[in-house]
Amino acid sequence: MQETSALNGLTQTVMYVDEVKQIQAVSDRLHQDSRARAILVVDKNGQLIASAGAASELDTTSLSSLVAGNVAATGGIAKLIEEEEFTGQYHEGKGISVHMTIVSRRVILVVLFDKNTTHGLVRLRVKKATVELERVLEEVTKKAKTPQVNVFAEITDADIDNLFND
Amino acid sequence: MSFINYSSREINCKLVYYGPGLCGKTTNLQYIYNKTKPDAKGKMISLATETERTLFFDFLPLSLGEIRGFRTRFHLYTVPGQVFYDASRKLILKGVDGVCFVADSQLERMEANIESLENLRENLADQGYELDKLPYCIQYNKRDLPSVVPVEELSELLNPTRVPEFDAVATTGIGVFDTLKALAKQVLTELRKGS
Ligand SMILES: Nc1nc2c(ncn2[C@@H]2O[C@H](COP(=O)(O)OP(=O)(O)O)[C@@H](O)[C@H]2O)c(=O)[nH]1
Ligand SMILES: [Mg+2]
């Protein structure tokens, strides 16, 4: 993942194939080791980066946006009471519980689990996965410092217009 | 912040509809939702109070066609308009790629429009953005009502920098897609400049 500042102060996140693969591998492993129902790795702005387990049965787009909104709101609360940042959240449901962890201040690791496992096991496995994710994200930050090709530099007005012609 | 994923070959952009309470932001999204083919949209989520006032945000994910082999997705958000929800509005502006300011054309809402526009500038500045450097357009909504201010006057008051502006009646859809397209185009053009 690459986060760069554009001229206008806008920032851009770029995820390359290698990084997504590594994040995917961490998610798959966490899914197995924790016996969770599903794993989502979500960017803090609400974009899904990777998912594992029963994620295909879920509306991951909506979930990602709500998870990010939730974390943003909690972050806002933390700021108001001068906590640095809450690093995680846990919501216990009758059937399914949700465990959320913020990793490297930029992605949210979401674990959905049921009676097939325990919160203790989930927490334990999440710790390990967090360390792995941190490592990937660190590599990524290094990589971001070297300039990459902008594939969109070549898009034309016609390309853009075509999107709206249906 | 636009999000380019080379693995899934997707571009994601975040568009925010801003404006005073009851100007028609949610109605814009509802109209877009109702008129978009099922395969090009996700669920619309409204975090609203029991009286249907936006509490945190509305969210509508749209998926347009492909550009250079990348599927383009737009995540549309609205903010809660009421003054006391300012903290929430700030959060929603995080990572924004383009803003549509929805003005309420009614004379009695001019004060509210001006206040909301100033609030938008301030809240963007808090996040390190400058409105004048962002993809940005304005919609003059509720043109069907009797007490509307002439568009020329609205434009002079709310659009000194002459960004793209559109008349609208969000309830019937007039101007809704024109506004969205204009904003989406600006955002994609910005992508071309890259970083
Ligand atoms: N007459 C008229 N009413 C509108 C128009 N757009 C929205 N409304 C109404 O204004 C009220 C507030 O709209 P809403 O979308 O909830 O405003 P929001 O607070 O900006 O999200 C609703 O009752 C809408 O039906 C319009 O163009 N004309
Ligand atoms: Mg609303």
Side-chain angles (χ1 to χ4, degrees):
Chain A
M1 183 155 46
Q2 182 184 1
E3 209 171 283
T4 50
S5 300
L7 297 169
N8 54 6
L10 281 178
T11 50
Q12 203 174 66
T13 301
V14 181
M15 298 274 313
Y16 293 98
V17 179
D18 280 353
E19 290 126 34
V20 177
K21 254 191 206 149
Q22 290 183 49
I23 294 172
Q24 183 63 52
V26 175
S27 312
D28 287 335
R29 208 153 43 230
L30 175 59
H31 171 241
Q32 278 190 349
D33 293 351
S34 68
R35 300 205 303 263
R37 285 268 281 258
I39 310 293
L40 306 180
V41 180
V42 179
D43 146 75
K44 257 189 157 181
N45 289 314
Q47 317 285 0
L48 182 70
I49 299 169
S51 64
S56 59
E57 297 160 20
L58 301 166
D59 180 351
T60 51
T61 307
S62 301
L63 268 173
S64 300
S65 153
L66 288 173
V67 161
N70 188 344
V71 165
T74 320
I77 294 170
K79 225 172 159 184
L80 281 180
I81 61 172
E82 289 170 5
E83 252 316 305
E84 194 185 327
E85 182 167 58
F86 297 117
T87 49
Q89 288 184 48
Y90 173 56
H91 302 289
E92 191 175 344
K94 267 209 194 99
I96 297 189
S97 298
V98 189
H99 184 96
M100 293 185 252
T101 317
I102 301 169
V103 184
S104 300
R105 298 173 153 259
R106 58 201 292 197
V107 305
I108 307 158
L109 177 59
V110 185
V111 182
L112 296 159
F113 64 96
D114 57 22
K115 296 274 172 338
N116 192 32
T117 183
T118 62
H119 189 204
L121 180 65
V122 167
R123 262 201 315 237
L124 190 71
R125 298 309 188 209
V126 160
K127 250 188 205 150
K128 183 171 157 234
T130 301
V131 174
E132 291 169 356
L133 278 181
E134 276 168 354
R135 199 168 31 78
V136 179
L137 293 172
E138 208 175 294
E139 265 172 48
V140 156
T141 311
K142 274 186 214 152
K143 187 173 170 185
K145 299 206 169 111
T146 53
Q148 311 280 331
V149 192
N150 175 13
V151 287
F152 299 103
E154 307 284 298
I155 60 174
T156 60
D157 288 343
D159 283 335
I160 295 174
D161 283 329
N162 282 338
L163 273 185
F164 293 100
N165 296 336
D166 47 20
Chain B
M1 130 167 50
S2 60
F3 183 99
I4 302 171
N5 189 329
Y6 279 80
S7 182
S8 55
R9 302 194 76 77
E10 285 176 6
I11 325 166
N12 289 278
C13 303
K14 177 173 179 176
L15 309 183
V16 175
Y17 284 68
Y18 211 92
L22 300 177
C23 67
K25 301 176 291 294
T26 300
T27 310
N28 263 272
L29 260 65
Q30 278 164 345
Y31 186 82
I32 294 165
Y33 179 82
N34 289 334
K35 292 293 169 186
T36 302
K37 288 177 292 186
D39 59 335
K41 69 186 173 192
K43 219 183 260 157
M44 177 163 166
I45 291 177
S46 290
L47 300 182
T49 64
E50 278 174 19
T51 53
E52 312 243 314
R53 301 295 303 267
T54 306
L55 176 64
F56 193 7
F57 58 74
D58 302 303
F59 169 70
L60 173 59
L62 293 180
S63 169
L64 298 180
E66 289 192 352
I67 279 195
R68 303 279 153 138
F70 282 76
R71 176 149 291 277
T72 52
R73 293 180 191 276
F74 287 93
H75 286 180
L76 277 47
Y77 285 84
T78 73
V79 297
Q82 287 150 291
V83 176
F84 51 87
Y85 287 134
D86 200 40
S88 302
R89 274 195 295 279
K90 271 187 197 158
L91 294 177
I92 294 154
L93 285 175
K94 278 192 182 165
V96 67
D97 291 303
V99 181
C100 171
F101 184 80
V102 181
D104 190 324
S105 298
Q106 299 174 91
L107 181 60
E108 61 270 29
R109 296 300 285 160
M110 279 316 103
E111 198 67 38
N113 287 327
I114 294 167
E115 212 171 277
S116 174
L117 192 53
E118 274 170 8
N119 176 256
L120 169 62
R121 268 186 199 284
E122 280 165 20
N123 282 344
L124 281 172
D126 271 7
Q127 313 275 354
Y129 301 116
E130 227 181 291
L131 179 59
D132 296 327
K133 292 185 179 167
L134 273 179
Y136 169 48
C137 69
I138 300 187
Q139 181 186 80
Y140 305 121
N141 191 31
K142 305 201 181 180
R143 297 310 299 170
D144 58 318
L145 292 177
S147 68
V148 296
V149 174
V151 170
E152 300 72 49
E153 263 176 63
L154 284 169
S155 186
E156 210 167 293
L157 192 66
L158 302 172
N159 190 12
T161 55
R162 302 279 143 206
V163 298
E165 52 186 13
F166 301 89
D167 289 11
V169 182
T171 36
T172 60
I174 295 172
V176 168
F177 274 98
D178 294 336
T179 310
L180 172 64
K181 282 178 191 178
L183 188 58
K185 258 177 117 161
Q186 285 184 58
V187 169
L188 292 171
T189 307
E190 203 59 43
L191 265 185
R192 174 160 60 191
K193 290 185 203 155
S195 44

